[in-house]
Amino acid sequence: INLQPTRDSQFHKIMYELRDRCALAFGADPTHLYPLHVSVTGFFEAYERQLQPLVGVMKELLATVLQGGEPPTVGKVICTKTGYVLFDLKAASITSFSQRLGERSSRDLGLQIRPKAVNHISLACNRPSEDTRAKIKATYEPQEGHLGDADICKAYSAATFDLVLSRLLHRSSFERFAEDGPHVFQETARIQVNRLIGEGGVPVAD
């Protein structure tokens, strides 16, 4: 289960354009095996019959934690000495959702779901060069006065996310990324998080 930029949003469009720009300039890395996402839980095993009850619990808990809450918001781009470039995310309500889901799914559904911190998007990894990390960071950070960067700022400030439950159909590897492409996922549910803030229903994306 993860957060992903809302499909067809300007934020989604900009993020994937910038990712493609980095891949062209610096090559791909293992983050390209996945769609751009914020981990909400770890991987877990489930039977088909458990999925729809799980989606029901997800909707119930989202409605609880998001009423009157704050939507996820993106912050600064961060480089780490361990080779990562991360997009900081503030999502206290979704962190609470993750913790509650771990408890409810174990108690009510017999599923062992490991909550995650819900605090970043991995933009790059396995980048030992400090210079390369800095250049990737600069790609994602809009600069005042640069052509097109006003659109990036606007997209970041209006960023919206969907909560996505997906099944891993095929696991790839970075060693065979050029031949086999990324991991293959099949979505089971996609719930529009930001539209739920202050609303009574649980919007599900088409």
Side-chain angles (χ1 to χ4, degrees), residues 70-84:
E70 293 292 329
T73 56
V74 294
K76 295 183 178 181
V77 180
I78 301 167
C79 295
T80 75
K81 293 182 179 180
T82 53
Y84 282 86

Side-chain angles (χ1 to χ4, degrees), residues 94-115:
I94 306 301
T95 301
S96 175
F97 162 84
S98 180
Q99 296 289 341
R100 296 185 187 198
L101 182 65
E103 296 166 2
R104 279 285 301 277
S105 60
S106 176
R107 184 180 72 239
D108 297 347
L109 304 176
L111 292 173
Q112 301 305 312
I113 298 179
R114 179 168 52 91

Side-chain angles (χ1 to χ4, degrees), residues 62-72 92-94 193-194 196-199:
L62 270 179
T64 299
V65 302
L66 290 177
Q67 287 302 307
E70 293 292 329
S93 57
I94 306 301
V193 172
N194 291 60
L196 188 57
I197 303 295
E199 296 182 4

